[in-house]
Amino acid sequence: MIDIKDKKNCTGCHACWSVCPRKCIRMMPDEEGFLYPQVVREHCIDCGACEKVCPVLHPADTQPPSQVYAARNWDEDVRMSSSSGGVFTLLAREIIRRGGVVFGASFAKDWQVVHSWTEQQEGIAAFRGAKYVQSLIGDVYHHVRCFLKQNRWVLFSGTPCQVAGLKHFLRIDYERLLTGDVVCHGVPSPLVWRIYLESINPQKERITHLSMRDKSRGWKQYGMDIRTGKNTLYIGKAASNLYSQGYLDNLFLRPSCYACLAKKGRSHSDFTLGDFWGIERVHPLMDDNWGTGLVLVNSPAGMNFYQSLSVFQKEATYAQAFLGNPSLECSAPLTELRKEFWRRFPEEGMKCVSDIHKRKRKIWVRLLNRIYKMIGT
């Protein structure tokens, strides 16, 4: 049976919970707000199904991409409402045009992040845009399998560990299943996200608009935009936002994100999507500061499907992609600052992020000064 002794060995992918024939696994939040499986031992029959589908216990081999593109949607409205180039929408629209179903991360009514699905073109918009919170998978894997058994096309998008969880759960290669993961820095705590929203909205006004990657100032100066019907709760650059600072400083990522086993193509997704950071060096004419997507095509099925789309694109190399997206292979660094955050967070809330962020910057400045002195000598 699944027994989590070290939290870095659980991604919270829900594969074990989904496969249990006796439904004796519960996904329970810990003090950081992350879900972990807990087995109700008196109901467990020791069938071993949960262990067989665990992508941490059975990591896949690395898989290099077959093709790399800098790409974007021809539809400028779609591109502006997307985190980068709007390529996901092209994939999703084609799946639905074929009578299929699209799965992705969306905001729930309380602005927490959940996985859901749509069979309508109008429903794709909910999956656009970055959501820097670990999404709740719930029973989504069961629904994916149900649609596949109906011989329908399915596009499942998520983090690499979620794609790996789905693949291990299914244990069968379906011809009409396409999977797309994102270039993942790590998944932040849903608890921290909830506390952050409460801290900027003490009057509990109804939030009517929320974007974690607002591009109104440009793609490279992206920020967060949160509004109610009456007021602007927050609008500004990511660098000056407490939640974004803490996320980029790796203060409240899931423990498994610091030792991720789903990187380097181990999710075996058909596509990997992200931002083509550094596009100004690779294809300067594509750099208009409104978003250019990075697309890694990882499988023959992915290539066949991708070639059916109309995309504005230029070829690139994996080395060029990796230079701007080291998260393709590198896990977030784990430092003592994470321990300090969780020690202070219960009493101070998000206020402690600013202090920790300033001290981290001072540490880096001192380190850079030492390097410059060594170079100078």
Side-chain angles (χ1 to χ4, degrees), residues 162-200:
Q162 289 172 336
V163 172
L166 172 65
K167 294 271 186 135
H168 280 69
F169 166 76
L170 293 174
R171 299 176 70 83
I172 297 175
D173 291 329
Y174 289 88
E175 289 185 3
R176 294 198 169 190
L177 171 65
L178 289 168
T179 56
D181 57 14
V182 295
V183 181
C184 184
H185 176 78
V187 290
S189 161
L191 171 64
V192 174
W193 174 240
R194 178 173 61 80
I195 296 298
Y196 170 73
L197 288 180
E198 291 175 355
S199 70
I200 64 170

Side-chain angles (χ1 to χ4, degrees), residues 80-83 129-130 132 209-227 234-238 290:
M80 283 301 297
S81 62
S82 304
S83 294
Y132 300 122
H209 173 79
L210 194 158
S211 173
M212 302 182 87
R213 279 286 300 276
D214 175 68
K215 296 194 298 187
S216 60
R217 301 166 199 80
W219 176 50
K220 298 174 185 177
Q221 294 82 35
Y222 69 86
M224 193 177 289
D225 187 349
I226 307 175
R227 308 181 189 194
Y234 181 85
I235 183 167
K237 294 182 179 179
W290 296 116

Side-chain angles (χ1 to χ4, degrees), residues 298-319:
N298 303 321
S299 69
M303 181 59 73
N304 288 336
F305 187 85
Y306 186 77
Q307 288 177 339
S308 70
L309 307 178
S310 176
V311 189
F312 175 39
Q313 64 186 24
K314 298 286 186 180
E315 290 188 6
T317 66
Y318 180 75

Side-chain angles (χ1 to χ4, degrees), residues 248-296:
L248 295 173
D249 287 346
N250 310 311
L251 301 182
F252 41 79
L253 304 181
R254 189 179 181 96
S256 59
C257 297
Y258 303 98
C260 180
L261 293 177
K263 293 185 181 295
K264 299 182 181 180
R266 290 191 181 96
S267 72
H268 285 204
S269 64
D270 297 294
F271 310 98
T272 298
L273 305 179
D275 298 270
F276 205 122
W277 300 121
I279 188 64
E280 67 277 5
R281 298 187 299 271
V282 181
H283 293 298
L285 294 180
M286 293 190 75
D287 179 30
D288 64 356
N289 197 30
W290 296 116
T292 300
L294 169 66
V295 180
L296 309 184

Side-chain angles (χ1 to χ4, degrees), residues 286-360:
M286 293 190 75
D287 179 30
D288 64 356
N289 197 30
W290 296 116
T292 300
L294 169 66
V295 180
L296 309 184
V297 183
N298 303 321
S299 69
M303 181 59 73
N304 288 336
F305 187 85
Y306 186 77
Q307 288 177 339
S308 70
L309 307 178
S310 176
V311 189
F312 175 39
Q313 64 186 24
K314 298 286 186 180
E315 290 188 6
T317 66
Y318 180 75
Q320 291 168 334
F322 176 75
L323 187 63
N325 283 281
S327 293
L328 283 166
E329 297 188 9
C330 305
S331 297
L334 178 61
T335 70
E336 291 297 314
L337 295 179
R338 186 185 191 276
K339 290 183 179 180
E340 180 180 348
F341 170 81
W342 284 109
R343 177 177 56 81
R344 297 172 58 177
F345 180 69
E347 291 189 7
E348 300 179 38
M350 297 301 294
K351 294 179 182 178
C352 66
V353 172
S354 180
D355 176 53
I356 296 174
H357 179 72
K358 289 177 182 177
R359 290 198 295 107
K360 180 182 179 181

Side-chain angles (χ1 to χ4, degrees), residues 147-158:
F147 287 124
L148 289 170
K149 286 185 175 180
Q150 295 172 14
N151 201 33
R152 297 182 66 180
W153 284 91
V154 171
L155 172 63
F156 177 89
S157 63

